[in-house]
Amino acid sequence: MSIAEQETRAEETIATGRAEETGPSRRGALVGTPLLVVGVALAASNLRPAVTSMSSVLGEVRDGLGASAVWTSVLTAVPTICFGLAAIAAPLLSRRLGMARAIGLAMAVLTAGLVLRVVDGPWVVLGGTFVAAAGIAIGNVLIPVVVKQSFPHAVGRVTGVYTAALAAGGGIGAAFTPPLEPLLGGWRGAVGAWALLSLAALVVWTIGARHGEPEPVVRAADAEERRPMVRRPLAWVVTAFFGLQACVAYVAMGWLSELFVSVGVTRTDAGLMLALINLIGIPLSFVIPPIALNRASQSGWIVGLACCSLAAVAGLAIAPAAAPWLWTVLLGVGMAVFPLGLGVIALRTREAAETTDLSAMAQGFGYLIGATGPFLFGILHGLTGSWTPSLVLLGAVIVAEMVLGWVAGRPRYV
């Protein structure tokens, strides 16, 4: 080994603070090939069916298990709680295993959880949902980092592909689970069938994800000068904004179907409405991110989309049965703020390491914030017997989302 090579190896050891390295092949960004785009899209398509498939048959699951309203509220909150807790571990996994293996592990854990939660009673359902959500959480944090690292000149376009696939997965899970029930022997078969999609994603990701040359190593002195993300005020604004938009999204995915059924909509139509909320995001994901994320500020876009959500919630509170498809469309348009939430994480940071840290913080703490939404929404409905108090609370959350989104969308760095 030459003197220059020895010096380079010493610098790497000092920078990481460890004597053992994971190896250059795991430190470099994934190679941005067309197959990686397919892998990103297929992985993204698995990040919502675990939630929407269960939500679309929530009444049957509750009745079949003889569960209480509190258990049902907990079930709708479990995914977002786990998203928050597991997201904190995602950067550590990516450093230890490398990005390719970490996301592959996420798909494997998701598959195992989807199978586990349909094999037994209420507690196993909760446990399996938690395991599945842990896999989703890792993907939630790391896939946007892959987009920024591997496609630096096409962040808007690939973010659009990612969020479109994510929306499509959520919509398909909601639309097809109710019809699958009679074909597969009940809700267990219909919900468990989505493990096949995550298994397919695992196979494609294993084939398509390959690390390139390692990135330049950050020296120890530079790392010490960097402030922790939790000490940066704008990072907390981005986190709170992300958490509130997640709160709105998971209330919709967890409870909208039950709300519509309670006002006279058939279970099949309610599932289609839940699917439509997600599917609306597909065309919007190809249009909005490339435009909004290429502008200096995203504030106006965020506020405009949040206004659509607020109009939908007002309609649901005043006359839910009068125009349910209109309220569904408005809410689906409003939820297109999600790709901007991911884009803001990338745009408010200067380098990939900061993006990973902010993504973990925003999604870790953000999803914990978001988890309170489905739980409180269900509890308020259970206590009052009316959807109105829950919808008023949701409207207040959307107003706060507008304010924080305006600040988070302004052009500056954390």
Side-chain angles (χ1 to χ4, degrees), residues 109-121 123-132 188 192 195:
V109 170
L110 170 58
T111 303
L114 291 175
V115 173
L116 175 63
R117 71 175 181 171
V118 298
V119 299
D120 208 339
W123 290 106
V124 174
V125 173
L126 287 176
T129 300
F130 194 92
V131 171
R188 293 183 188 275

Side-chain angles (χ1 to χ4, degrees), residues 128-218:
T129 300
F130 194 92
V131 171
I136 293 172
I138 298 169
N140 279 340
V141 172
L142 297 184
I143 293 176
V145 179
V146 171
V147 172
K148 179 168 184 174
Q149 284 184 326
S150 303
F151 306 96
H153 303 298
V155 171
R157 289 195 299 275
V158 181
T159 296
V161 171
Y162 164 69
T163 53
L166 189 147
I172 292 170
F176 284 91
T177 303
L180 285 174
E181 262 194 295
L183 297 177
L184 299 178
W187 68 265
R188 293 183 188 275
V191 171
W194 297 102
L196 296 175
L197 182 62
S198 60
L199 182 61
L202 174 59
V203 172
V204 174
W205 183 264
T206 301
I207 297 171
R210 292 290 180 269
H211 286 277
E213 292 299 319
E215 297 176 353
V217 177
V218 179

Side-chain angles (χ1 to χ4, degrees), residues 78-324:
V78 159
T80 42
I81 293 172
C82 189
F83 291 168
L85 295 176
I88 297 171
L92 176 62
L93 283 174
S94 70
R95 288 193 292 269
R96 292 269 185 177
L97 303 178
M99 195 68 75
R101 291 186 180 183
I103 296 177
L105 176 64
M107 293 297 103
V109 170
L110 170 58
T111 303
L114 291 175
V115 173
L116 175 63
R117 71 175 181 171
V118 298
V119 299
D120 208 339
W123 290 106
V124 174
V125 173
L126 287 176
T129 300
F130 194 92
V131 171
I136 293 172
I138 298 169
N140 279 340
V141 172
L142 297 184
I143 293 176
V145 179
V146 171
V147 172
K148 179 168 184 174
Q149 284 184 326
S150 303
F151 306 96
H153 303 298
V155 171
R157 289 195 299 275
V158 181
T159 296
V161 171
Y162 164 69
T163 53
L166 189 147
I172 292 170
F176 284 91
T177 303
L180 285 174
E181 262 194 295
L183 297 177
L184 299 178
W187 68 265
R188 293 183 188 275
V191 171
W194 297 102
L196 296 175
L197 182 62
S198 60
L199 182 61
L202 174 59
V203 172
V204 174
W205 183 264
T206 301
I207 297 171
R210 292 290 180 269
H211 286 277
E213 292 299 319
E215 297 176 353
V217 177
V218 179
R219 294 179 180 273
D222 296 332
E224 290 174 359
E225 291 173 3
R226 185 182 298 128
R227 284 187 302 158
M229 199 60 66
V230 293
R231 295 185 182 179
R232 307 186 193 191
L234 182 57
W236 283 108
V237 172
V238 171
T239 297
F241 161 61
F242 190 90
L244 293 181
Q245 69 80 30
C247 180
V248 176
Y250 283 94
V251 165
M253 285 189 281
W255 286 106
L256 188 69
S257 181
E258 288 302 300
L259 189 159
F260 281 137
V261 168
S262 72
V263 298
V265 177
T266 67
R267 174 68 64 182
T268 299
D269 283 348
L272 290 174
M273 290 174 185
L274 182 58
L276 181 60
I277 284 180
N278 289 276
L279 294 176
I280 286 173
I282 297 176
L284 295 181
S285 294
F286 285 114
V287 174
I288 294 177
I291 297 174
L293 299 182
N294 284 325
R295 295 180 179 273
S297 173
Q298 294 73 47
S299 299
W301 284 93
I302 291 171
V303 171
L305 293 171
C307 284
C308 292
S309 294
L310 192 60
V313 169
L316 290 168
I318 296 169

Side-chain angles (χ1 to χ4, degrees), residues 9-84:
R9 178 63 59 85
E11 288 176 355
E12 291 177 354
T13 301
I14 293 172
T16 57
R18 299 192 307 270
E20 296 181 357
E21 294 291 339
T22 58
S25 63
R26 298 186 200 171
R27 286 199 306 271
L30 300 182
V31 180
T33 63
L35 185 57
L36 182 63
V37 176
V38 175
V40 165
L42 194 52
S45 70
N46 280 277
L47 301 183
R48 292 298 177 268
V51 178
T52 59
S53 62
M54 184 68 80
S55 297
S56 64
V57 292
L58 190 59
E60 284 82 352
V61 174
R62 181 187 60 222
D63 295 341
L65 296 173
S68 66
V70 172
W71 180 90
T72 307
S73 296
V74 171
L75 179 65
T76 61
V78 159
T80 42
I81 293 172
C82 189
F83 291 168

